[in-house]
Amino acid sequence: EFLTWPRFSSLQCQCLDLSESGVGLQPLASLARLLPSLPSLRQLSVSHTNLAPLPPDLLALMTSHLVTLSLAQTRLNTQHLETLLQSIVIKR
């Protein structure tokens, strides 16, 4: 729930580890929308988090300026991967 708090948008850390946090769809969607406005955040881990219900376009937002995005055991489907890879290719 904390990802929906307005003060989360003032996050100044470089690394955020949400792996195995049990964070749900709404907080993940909020995080995806916030990431482009968090330039200091360079590394994000959402490993061992079910990303299957997350719309692929929101997952692509997570790559906005990150150096590292850890996605181990996240249950991504083909559409997620295609959208994610396209967003990376377009930004390079």
Side-chain angles (χ1 to χ4, degrees):
E1 242 179 78
F2 77 95
L3 294 176
T4 60
W5 296 346
R7 66 178 171 223
F8 184 77
S9 63
S10 61
L11 181 72
Q12 296 295 317
C13 70
Q14 290 185 359
C15 180
L16 180 61
D17 186 352
L18 296 175
S19 58
E20 299 186 58
S21 65
V23 66
L25 176 61
Q26 184 56 41
L28 282 171
S30 296
L31 174 62
R33 289 184 190 102
L34 279 173
L35 274 175
S37 64
L38 300 173
S40 62
L41 185 62
R42 306 301 285 164
Q43 300 176 351
L44 173 64
S45 177
V46 289
S47 296
H48 302 279
T49 303
N50 183 6
L51 298 181
L54 190 68
D57 59 322
L58 289 181
L59 179 62
L61 278 177
M62 289 185 171
T63 67
S64 61
H65 59 275
L66 295 176
V67 173
T68 304
L69 176 59
S70 298
L71 297 169
Q73 302 295 321
T74 53
R75 299 183 184 163
L76 298 178
N77 61 40
T78 304
Q79 189 176 9
H80 283 113
L81 294 174
E82 288 175 354
T83 303
L84 187 60
L85 290 173
Q86 286 174 356
S87 72
I88 292 169
V89 169
I90 290 170
K91 292 174 186 168
R92 304 281 164 162

XYZ file of all heavy atoms in Angstrom:
711
model
N 0.801 -1.208 0.000
C 0.000 0.000 0.000
C 0.843 1.272 0.000
O 0.408 2.300 -0.470
C -0.901 -0.005 1.227
C -2.361 -0.003 0.869
C -3.215 -0.044 2.106
O -3.352 1.019 2.734
O -3.716 -1.127 2.433
N 2.053 1.188 0.540
C 2.873 2.391 0.636
C 3.233 2.976 -0.713
O 3.519 4.160 -0.825
C 4.136 2.121 1.455
C 5.209 1.378 0.716
C 6.225 2.060 0.088
C 5.204 -0.008 0.649
C 7.209 1.385 -0.604
C 6.184 -0.689 -0.030
C 7.191 0.003 -0.658
N 3.208 2.171 -1.782
C 3.549 2.688 -3.107
C 2.509 3.667 -3.627
O 2.777 4.397 -4.573
C 3.709 1.537 -4.092
C 4.878 0.596 -3.829
C 4.849 -0.545 -4.821
C 6.196 1.314 -3.873
N 1.329 3.686 -3.026
C 0.298 4.624 -3.454
C 0.327 5.906 -2.639
O -0.414 6.823 -2.925
C -1.099 3.983 -3.367
O -1.354 3.606 -2.016
C -1.202 2.764 -4.273
N 1.183 5.981 -1.618
C 1.268 7.187 -0.801
C 1.923 8.299 -1.597
O 2.921 8.091 -2.285
C 2.086 6.946 0.449
C 1.516 5.951 1.409
C 0.251 5.433 1.420
C 2.205 5.322 2.482
N 0.112 4.549 2.438
C 1.287 4.451 3.116
C 3.488 5.415 2.987
C 1.638 3.691 4.215
C 3.830 4.653 4.081
C 2.917 3.814 4.682
N 1.395 9.522 -1.508
C 1.994 10.635 -2.261
C 3.465 10.862 -1.925
O 4.248 11.207 -2.793
C 1.145 11.839 -1.851
C -0.157 11.252 -1.419
C 0.172 9.912 -0.826
N 3.860 10.648 -0.688
C 5.252 10.920 -0.326
C 6.230 9.939 -0.968
O 7.424 10.184 -1.010
C 5.429 10.950 1.187
C 5.199 9.639 1.864
C 5.450 9.781 3.353
N 5.028 8.568 4.005
C 4.349 8.517 5.115
N 3.993 9.632 5.712
N 4.021 7.376 5.654
N 5.743 8.801 -1.472
C 6.622 7.857 -2.146
C 7.234 8.497 -3.380
O 8.345 8.163 -3.770
C 5.869 6.576 -2.517
C 6.751 5.532 -3.123
C 7.596 4.779 -2.335
C 6.760 5.321 -4.492
C 8.433 3.823 -2.888
C 7.591 4.360 -5.055
C 8.418 3.620 -4.247
N 6.545 9.437 -3.973
C 7.056 10.089 -5.181
C 8.301 10.935 -4.916
O 8.963 11.357 -5.849
C 5.974 10.939 -5.838
O 5.597 11.969 -4.975
N 8.639 11.174 -3.645
C 9.852 11.931 -3.338
C 11.019 11.013 -2.967
O 12.019 11.462 -2.425
C 9.581 12.927 -2.201
O 9.179 12.231 -1.027
N 10.927 9.752 -3.299
C 11.961 8.766 -3.032
C 13.283 9.216 -3.650
O 13.322 9.640 -4.797
C 11.546 7.418 -3.623
C 12.477 6.244 -3.425
C 12.436 5.793 -1.971
C 12.059 5.097 -4.322
N 14.361 9.108 -2.887
C 15.669 9.552 -3.364
C 16.703 8.433 -3.422
O 17.850 8.695 -3.715
C 16.202 10.672 -2.457
C 15.364 11.930 -2.493
C 15.381 12.592 -3.855
O 16.420 12.705 -4.490
N 14.234 13.008 -4.334
N 16.328 7.202 -3.153
C 17.310 6.114 -3.145
C 17.656 5.688 -4.564
O 16.943 5.966 -5.513
C 16.799 4.930 -2.338
S 15.439 4.048 -3.106
N 18.777 4.983 -4.701
C 19.210 4.494 -6.004
C 18.756 3.072 -6.267
O 18.737 2.632 -7.405
C 20.728 4.568 -6.113
C 21.247 5.967 -6.191
C 22.749 5.985 -6.420
O 23.404 4.955 -6.510
N 23.301 7.169 -6.527
N 18.411 2.342 -5.204
C 18.059 0.946 -5.343
C 16.818 0.642 -4.498
O 16.739 1.049 -3.344
C 19.232 0.091 -4.877
S 18.916 -1.666 -5.009
N 15.873 -0.057 -5.098
C 14.655 -0.444 -4.390
C 14.445 -1.931 -4.616
O 14.405 -2.390 -5.757
C 13.449 0.349 -4.908
C 12.102 0.062 -4.258
C 12.127 0.369 -2.764
C 11.008 0.881 -4.938
N 14.338 -2.679 -3.525
C 14.165 -4.124 -3.612
C 12.788 -4.496 -3.077
O 12.544 -4.426 -1.881
C 15.249 -4.832 -2.809
C 15.214 -6.346 -2.979
O 14.257 -6.871 -3.597
O 16.146 -7.004 -2.499
N 11.894 -4.875 -3.982
C 10.552 -5.310 -3.618
C 10.379 -6.808 -3.823
O 9.266 -7.315 -3.819
C 9.510 -4.554 -4.448
C 9.451 -3.049 -4.237
C 8.472 -2.409 -5.203
C 9.075 -2.720 -2.812
N 11.497 -7.512 -3.990
C 11.418 -8.949 -4.234
C 10.788 -9.660 -3.040
O 11.035 -9.296 -1.890
C 12.796 -9.520 -4.536
O 13.690 -9.255 -3.477
N 9.939 -10.596 -3.352
C 9.227 -11.404 -2.358
C 8.427 -10.551 -1.364
O 8.198 -10.960 -0.244
C 10.203 -12.317 -1.619
C 10.906 -13.289 -2.543
C 11.759 -14.287 -1.821
O 11.211 -15.013 -0.985
O 12.967 -14.324 -2.112
N 7.997 -9.387 -1.797
C 7.273 -8.482 -0.895
C 5.772 -8.750 -0.864
O 5.083 -8.250 0.017
C 7.509 -7.031 -1.301
O 6.944 -6.796 -2.578
N 5.267 -9.489 -1.835
C 3.832 -9.737 -1.882
C 3.035 -8.508 -2.294
O 1.831 -8.448 -2.114
N 3.720 -7.541 -2.879
C 3.050 -6.320 -3.330
C 2.038 -6.688 -4.419
O 2.278 -7.556 -5.244
C 4.093 -5.279 -3.810
C 4.822 -5.743 -5.034
C 3.461 -3.935 -4.036
N 0.894 -6.073 -4.389
C -0.186 -6.407 -5.313
C -0.183 -5.609 -6.601
O 0.701 -4.788 -6.852
N -1.218 -5.829 -7.400
C -1.325 -5.209 -8.717
C -1.391 -3.682 -8.639
O -0.686 -2.994 -9.369
C -2.549 -5.748 -9.455
C -2.839 -5.119 -10.817
C -1.677 -5.341 -11.769
C -4.114 -5.678 -11.397
N -2.236 -3.143 -7.795
C -2.389 -1.679 -7.719
C -1.087 -0.977 -7.324
O -0.690 -0.012 -7.976
C -3.526 -1.308 -6.763
C -3.809 0.186 -6.699
C -4.105 0.803 -8.055
O -4.803 0.211 -8.866
N -3.569 1.974 -8.305
N -0.390 -1.435 -6.280
C 0.888 -0.792 -5.963
C 1.926 -0.929 -7.079
O 2.678 0.010 -7.332
C 1.346 -1.509 -4.695
C 0.097 -2.002 -4.074
C -0.796 -2.362 -5.235
N 1.948 -2.063 -7.751
C 2.881 -2.225 -8.873
C 2.548 -1.277 -10.017
O 3.438 -0.692 -10.630
C 2.868 -3.664 -9.384
C 3.638 -4.674 -8.553
C 3.364 -6.082 -9.046
C 5.122 -4.371 -8.587
N 1.262 -1.117 -10.291
C 0.846 -0.176 -11.335
C 1.222 1.247 -10.949
O 1.699 2.025 -11.783
C -0.654 -0.300 -11.582
N 1.037 1.592 -9.689
C 1.424 2.925 -9.206
C 2.931 3.128 -9.334
O 3.382 4.195 -9.751
C 1.015 3.113 -7.744
O -0.377 3.083 -7.614
N 3.694 2.108 -8.968
C 5.150 2.211 -9.081
C 5.560 2.411 -10.538
O 6.397 3.260 -10.836
C 5.807 0.951 -8.523
C 7.319 0.862 -8.701
C 8.016 2.005 -7.969
C 7.828 -0.475 -8.210
N 4.977 1.656 -11.444
C 5.313 1.788 -12.865
C 5.055 3.209 -13.357
O 5.845 3.762 -14.115
C 4.516 0.783 -13.689
N 3.959 3.798 -12.916
C 3.632 5.167 -13.338
C 4.556 6.202 -12.696
O 4.803 7.264 -13.261
C 2.175 5.471 -12.993
C 1.199 4.721 -13.864
C -0.243 5.107 -13.563
N -1.157 4.216 -14.241
C -1.817 3.212 -13.658
N -1.679 2.982 -12.371
N -2.614 2.446 -14.358
N 5.051 5.907 -11.487
C 5.934 6.834 -10.779
C 7.385 6.783 -11.253
O 8.103 7.765 -11.153
C 5.929 6.524 -9.277
C 4.784 7.052 -8.453
C 4.859 6.499 -7.040
C 4.808 8.567 -8.416
N 7.826 5.638 -11.733
C 9.237 5.467 -12.073
C 9.809 6.546 -12.979
O 10.926 7.009 -12.735
C 9.481 4.083 -12.675
C 9.734 2.993 -11.650
C 9.851 1.645 -12.330
C 10.960 3.270 -10.831
N 9.118 6.971 -14.019
C 9.704 8.021 -14.860
C 9.988 9.326 -14.101
O 10.848 10.098 -14.514
C 8.649 8.238 -15.953
C 7.933 6.932 -16.021
C 7.886 6.440 -14.595
N 9.314 9.539 -12.978
C 9.537 10.768 -12.211
C 10.498 10.551 -11.037
O 10.635 11.423 -10.183
C 8.205 11.331 -11.704
O 7.610 10.427 -10.801
N 11.166 9.401 -10.995
C 12.145 9.101 -9.953
C 13.523 8.886 -10.581
O 14.038 7.781 -10.634
C 11.729 7.835 -9.179
C 10.398 7.867 -8.454
C 10.062 6.487 -7.902
C 10.409 8.906 -7.355
N 14.154 9.945 -11.067
C 15.413 9.787 -11.795
C 16.559 9.234 -10.958
O 17.504 8.664 -11.502
C 15.721 11.195 -12.300
C 14.982 12.094 -11.373
C 13.755 11.336 -10.947
N 16.504 9.378 -9.644
C 17.596 8.859 -8.818
C 17.531 7.341 -8.660
O 18.540 6.710 -8.350
C 17.593 9.528 -7.441
O 16.396 9.237 -6.752
N 16.371 6.746 -8.887
C 16.227 5.297 -8.770
C 16.843 4.635 -10.000
O 16.402 4.853 -11.123
C 14.760 4.904 -8.642
C 14.487 3.423 -8.397
C 15.104 2.973 -7.074
C 12.998 3.162 -8.375
N 17.890 3.847 -9.784
C 18.615 3.233 -10.895
C 18.472 1.718 -10.946
O 18.678 1.112 -11.977
C 20.104 3.592 -10.812
C 20.384 5.086 -10.730
C 19.847 5.851 -11.893
N 20.692 5.607 -13.057
C 20.354 5.875 -14.298
N 19.201 6.406 -14.559
N 21.158 5.619 -15.290
N 18.131 1.098 -9.801
C 18.021 -0.358 -9.739
C 16.720 -0.725 -9.039
O 16.405 -0.185 -7.988
C 19.192 -0.961 -8.966
C 20.533 -0.659 -9.575
C 21.677 -1.181 -8.724
O 21.500 -1.624 -7.608
N 22.878 -1.114 -9.280
N 16.006 -1.667 -9.627
C 14.743 -2.124 -9.057
C 14.681 -3.639 -9.155
O 14.989 -4.217 -10.199
C 13.561 -1.515 -9.822
C 12.168 -2.017 -9.445
C 11.821 -1.658 -7.999
C 11.133 -1.455 -10.402
N 14.299 -4.273 -8.058
C 14.087 -5.713 -8.063
C 12.640 -5.994 -7.678
O 12.177 -5.573 -6.623
C 15.020 -6.423 -7.085
O 14.714 -7.814 -7.075
N 11.952 -6.677 -8.560
C 10.594 -7.150 -8.273
C 10.567 -8.676 -8.425
O 9.524 -9.259 -8.690
C 9.531 -6.469 -9.167
C 9.349 -5.020 -8.780
C 9.888 -6.597 -10.640
N 11.723 -9.288 -8.249
C 11.839 -10.740 -8.365
C 10.905 -11.433 -7.386
O 10.631 -10.911 -6.303
C 13.274 -11.178 -8.080
O 14.146 -10.646 -9.046
N 10.432 -12.597 -7.804
C 9.526 -13.411 -6.983
C 8.240 -12.659 -6.642
O 7.693 -12.785 -5.556
C 10.238 -13.897 -5.715
C 11.471 -14.694 -6.024
N 11.416 -16.024 -6.372
C 12.775 -14.333 -6.089
C 12.640 -16.452 -6.612
N 13.481 -15.452 -6.463
N 7.800 -11.854 -7.587
C 6.554 -11.105 -7.481
C 5.731 -11.428 -8.727
O 6.260 -11.389 -9.831
C 6.829 -9.580 -7.427
O 7.700 -9.316 -6.327
C 5.560 -8.788 -7.275
N 4.476 -11.718 -8.560
C 3.634 -12.086 -9.696
C 3.287 -10.842 -10.527
O 2.473 -10.016 -10.120
C 2.353 -12.762 -9.211
C 1.483 -13.239 -10.347
O 1.858 -13.172 -11.506
N 0.312 -13.729 -10.014
N 3.908 -10.723 -11.680
C 3.645 -9.592 -12.578
C 2.665 -9.950 -13.689
O 2.355 -9.116 -14.529
C 4.952 -9.093 -13.204
C 6.011 -8.559 -12.243
C 7.228 -8.089 -13.023
C 5.464 -7.441 -11.384
N 2.160 -11.174 -13.690
C 1.246 -11.622 -14.745
C 0.042 -10.704 -14.924
O -0.342 -10.418 -16.058
C 0.804 -13.059 -14.493
N -0.594 -10.197 -13.850
C -1.756 -9.339 -14.063
C -1.415 -7.891 -14.475
O -2.293 -7.115 -14.828
C -2.486 -9.347 -12.717
C -1.504 -9.790 -11.716
C -0.446 -10.555 -12.441
N -0.141 -7.542 -14.441
C 0.262 -6.178 -14.790
C 0.185 -5.984 -16.298
O 0.742 -6.780 -17.058
C 1.691 -5.927 -14.308
C 2.199 -4.497 -14.371
C 1.459 -3.617 -13.365
C 3.682 -4.451 -14.099
N -0.498 -4.939 -16.776
C -0.548 -4.683 -18.219
C 0.869 -4.499 -18.777
O 1.702 -3.826 -18.156
C -1.359 -3.392 -18.339
C -2.174 -3.343 -17.088
C -1.313 -3.968 -16.029
N 1.163 -5.077 -19.925
C 2.507 -4.998 -20.497
C 3.032 -3.568 -20.675
O 4.217 -3.320 -20.475
C 2.367 -5.697 -21.850
C 1.257 -6.659 -21.641
C 0.291 -5.946 -20.718
N 2.164 -2.628 -21.013
C 2.643 -1.255 -21.197
C 3.146 -0.646 -19.888
O 4.064 0.166 -19.891
C 1.570 -0.381 -21.840
C 0.291 -0.301 -21.028
O -0.107 -1.324 -20.439
O -0.325 0.779 -20.989
N 2.558 -1.050 -18.758
C 3.050 -0.555 -17.472
C 4.400 -1.177 -17.132
O 5.268 -0.517 -16.564
C 2.047 -0.828 -16.354
C 0.777 0.009 -16.398
C -0.136 -0.330 -15.227
C 1.102 1.498 -16.386
N 4.582 -2.428 -17.484
C 5.876 -3.060 -17.270
C 6.948 -2.330 -18.083
O 8.045 -2.087 -17.596
C 5.822 -4.536 -17.670
C 7.123 -5.313 -17.511
C 7.567 -5.352 -16.057
C 6.961 -6.718 -18.056
N 6.617 -1.943 -19.292
C 7.571 -1.215 -20.140
C 7.959 0.123 -19.515
O 9.099 0.573 -19.668
C 6.989 -1.020 -21.530
N 7.044 0.758 -18.800
C 7.368 2.020 -18.122
C 8.479 1.832 -17.094
O 9.220 2.759 -16.799
C 6.133 2.587 -17.408
C 5.132 3.365 -18.223
C 3.956 3.783 -17.350
C 5.770 4.577 -18.866
N 8.572 0.637 -16.547
C 9.579 0.381 -15.513
C 10.998 0.462 -16.064
O 11.945 0.568 -15.307
C 9.349 -0.990 -14.869
C 8.141 -1.052 -13.998
S 8.058 -2.667 -13.181
C 6.720 -2.368 -12.041
N 11.160 0.423 -17.355
C 12.503 0.487 -17.939
C 12.935 1.913 -18.240
O 14.018 2.111 -18.773
C 12.569 -0.331 -19.240
O 11.745 0.297 -20.234
C 12.155 -1.762 -19.026
N 12.138 2.887 -17.902
C 12.358 4.270 -18.324
C 13.799 4.751 -18.197
O 14.342 5.287 -19.132
C 11.423 5.211 -17.574
O 11.675 5.141 -16.187
N 14.423 4.576 -17.061
C 15.799 5.038 -16.880
C 16.599 4.111 -15.967
O 17.683 4.461 -15.524
C 15.800 6.456 -16.300
C 15.108 6.541 -14.982
N 13.758 6.710 -14.886
C 15.558 6.433 -13.714
C 13.414 6.720 -13.606
N 14.473 6.539 -12.888
N 16.052 2.946 -15.703
C 16.744 2.013 -14.819
C 17.970 1.409 -15.497
O 17.975 1.181 -16.705
C 15.806 0.874 -14.406
C 14.606 1.253 -13.550
C 13.723 0.032 -13.320
C 15.055 1.842 -12.220
N 18.974 1.152 -14.711
C 20.158 0.454 -15.185
C 19.939 -1.053 -15.013
O 20.338 -1.842 -15.855
C 21.409 0.913 -14.402
C 22.626 0.081 -14.768
C 21.657 2.386 -14.622
N 19.270 -1.428 -13.913
C 19.016 -2.826 -13.616
C 17.563 -3.013 -13.204
O 17.058 -2.285 -12.348
C 19.916 -3.315 -12.456
O 21.272 -3.073 -12.782
C 19.700 -4.792 -12.179
N 16.912 -3.978 -13.816
C 15.547 -4.371 -13.450
C 15.551 -5.879 -13.280
O 15.710 -6.618 -14.250
C 14.540 -3.955 -14.527
C 13.080 -4.376 -14.330
C 12.515 -3.810 -13.022
C 12.243 -3.935 -15.513
N 15.412 -6.346 -12.050
C 15.448 -7.782 -11.763
C 14.043 -8.352 -11.843
O 13.142 -7.912 -11.125
C 16.035 -8.028 -10.374
O 17.354 -7.564 -10.316
N 13.870 -9.338 -12.730
C 12.549 -9.901 -13.014
C 12.510 -11.420 -12.836
O 11.653 -12.084 -13.418
C 12.143 -9.556 -14.447
C 11.968 -8.083 -14.757
C 11.835 -7.870 -16.262
C 10.754 -7.531 -14.025
N 13.377 -11.986 -12.018
C 13.399 -13.438 -11.831
C 12.104 -13.916 -11.175
O 11.601 -13.280 -10.241
C 14.591 -13.846 -10.962
N 11.555 -14.998 -11.701
C 10.360 -15.628 -11.130
C 9.183 -14.655 -11.000
O 8.558 -14.536 -9.955
C 10.692 -16.230 -9.762
C 11.799 -17.255 -9.765
C 11.422 -18.503 -10.548
O 10.303 -18.968 -10.494
N 12.375 -19.025 -11.300
N 8.878 -13.942 -12.082
C 7.797 -12.951 -12.048
C 6.585 -13.342 -12.886
O 5.637 -12.572 -12.987
C 8.296 -11.574 -12.518
O 8.931 -11.711 -13.779
C 9.269 -10.973 -11.521
N 6.612 -14.516 -13.505
C 5.490 -15.043 -14.285
C 5.115 -14.169 -15.482
O 3.938 -13.984 -15.795
C 4.275 -15.268 -13.399
C 4.521 -16.252 -12.293
C 3.294 -16.504 -11.488
N 3.631 -17.396 -10.391
C 2.896 -17.561 -9.340
N 1.764 -16.910 -9.204
N 3.265 -18.377 -8.386
N 6.112 -13.622 -16.140
C 5.851 -12.813 -17.329
C 5.403 -13.714 -18.470
O 5.859 -14.838 -18.608
C 7.107 -12.053 -17.744
C 7.643 -11.046 -16.741
C 8.920 -10.418 -17.269
C 6.614 -9.984 -16.425
N 4.515 -13.187 -19.303
C 4.077 -13.952 -20.468
C 4.753 -13.378 -21.726
O 5.513 -12.410 -21.654
C 2.544 -13.958 -20.588
C 1.969 -12.569 -20.748
O 2.526 -11.730 -21.451
N 0.836 -12.305 -20.115
N 4.455 -13.972 -22.856
C 5.084 -13.568 -24.114
C 4.818 -12.105 -24.436
O 5.719 -11.376 -24.866
C 4.583 -14.462 -25.271
O 4.848 -15.821 -24.934
C 5.264 -14.116 -26.579
N 3.597 -11.647 -24.210
C 3.267 -10.247 -24.500
C 4.068 -9.295 -23.610
O 4.531 -8.253 -24.072
C 1.775 -10.000 -24.331
C 1.352 -8.633 -24.817
C -0.142 -8.424 -24.737
O -0.871 -9.230 -24.167
N -0.605 -7.329 -25.278
N 4.245 -9.648 -22.340
C 5.077 -8.831 -21.454
C 6.494 -8.719 -22.003
O 7.055 -7.625 -22.082
C 5.156 -9.458 -20.052
C 3.949 -9.269 -19.210
N 3.149 -10.319 -18.853
C 3.408 -8.170 -18.654
C 2.166 -9.877 -18.105
N 2.289 -8.569 -17.982
N 7.059 -9.864 -22.373
C 8.440 -9.870 -22.846
C 8.612 -9.105 -24.151
O 9.570 -8.346 -24.311
C 8.925 -11.317 -23.008
C 9.036 -12.111 -21.705
C 9.388 -13.557 -22.002
C 10.050 -11.483 -20.769
N 7.676 -9.275 -25.069
C 7.762 -8.550 -26.342
C 7.679 -7.041 -26.121
O 8.459 -6.279 -26.693
C 6.656 -9.007 -27.291
C 6.884 -10.390 -27.847
C 5.723 -10.899 -28.693
O 4.667 -10.229 -28.768
O 5.875 -11.983 -29.280
N 6.743 -6.608 -25.301
C 6.589 -5.179 -25.017
C 7.819 -4.635 -24.306
O 8.305 -3.544 -24.627
C 5.324 -4.930 -24.166
O 4.202 -5.467 -24.860
C 5.111 -3.458 -23.905
N 8.330 -5.390 -23.355
C 9.518 -4.982 -22.608
C 10.725 -4.849 -23.530
O 11.433 -3.845 -23.503
C 9.780 -6.006 -21.505
C 10.872 -5.703 -20.501
C 10.587 -4.411 -19.754
C 11.009 -6.846 -19.516
N 10.946 -5.832 -24.373
C 12.087 -5.784 -25.285
C 11.952 -4.666 -26.311
O 12.926 -3.994 -26.637
C 12.250 -7.130 -25.986
C 12.730 -8.275 -25.068
C 12.690 -9.601 -25.805
C 14.110 -7.990 -24.529
N 10.743 -4.424 -26.804
C 10.530 -3.328 -27.738
C 10.834 -1.988 -27.078
O 11.426 -1.097 -27.694
C 9.110 -3.347 -28.273
C 8.854 -4.434 -29.260
C 7.384 -4.536 -29.669
O 6.534 -3.828 -29.143
N 7.098 -5.419 -30.609
N 10.432 -1.823 -25.824
C 10.680 -0.551 -25.143
C 12.171 -0.333 -24.925
O 12.653 0.792 -25.000
C 9.938 -0.476 -23.810
O 10.517 -1.337 -22.838
N 12.906 -1.397 -24.688
C 14.357 -1.278 -24.503
C 15.037 -0.923 -25.822
O 15.890 -0.044 -25.864
C 14.933 -2.590 -23.922
C 14.433 -2.778 -22.486
C 16.456 -2.572 -23.960
C 14.722 -4.143 -21.919
N 14.641 -1.565 -26.893
C 15.236 -1.306 -28.217
C 14.953 0.117 -28.653
O 15.828 0.816 -29.161
C 14.711 -2.317 -29.254
C 15.095 -1.907 -30.659
C 15.245 -3.698 -28.927
N 13.754 0.607 -28.430
C 13.363 1.960 -28.839
C 14.184 3.007 -28.082
O 14.552 4.021 -28.631
C 11.854 2.181 -28.618
C 11.075 1.350 -29.629
C 11.481 3.650 -28.718
C 9.581 1.290 -29.386
N 14.490 2.755 -26.821
C 15.218 3.736 -25.990
C 16.705 3.746 -26.254
O 17.397 4.658 -25.850
C 14.941 3.453 -24.528
C 13.514 3.747 -24.154
C 13.215 3.329 -22.759
C 11.724 3.524 -22.532
N 11.256 2.922 -21.353
N 17.223 2.722 -26.912
C 18.685 2.629 -27.125
C 19.095 3.297 -28.383
O 18.673 3.498 -29.335
C 19.136 1.178 -27.133
C 18.751 0.415 -25.900
C 19.662 0.727 -24.786
N 19.032 0.269 -23.544
C 19.670 0.079 -22.446
N 20.933 0.335 -22.385
N 19.079 -0.307 -21.367
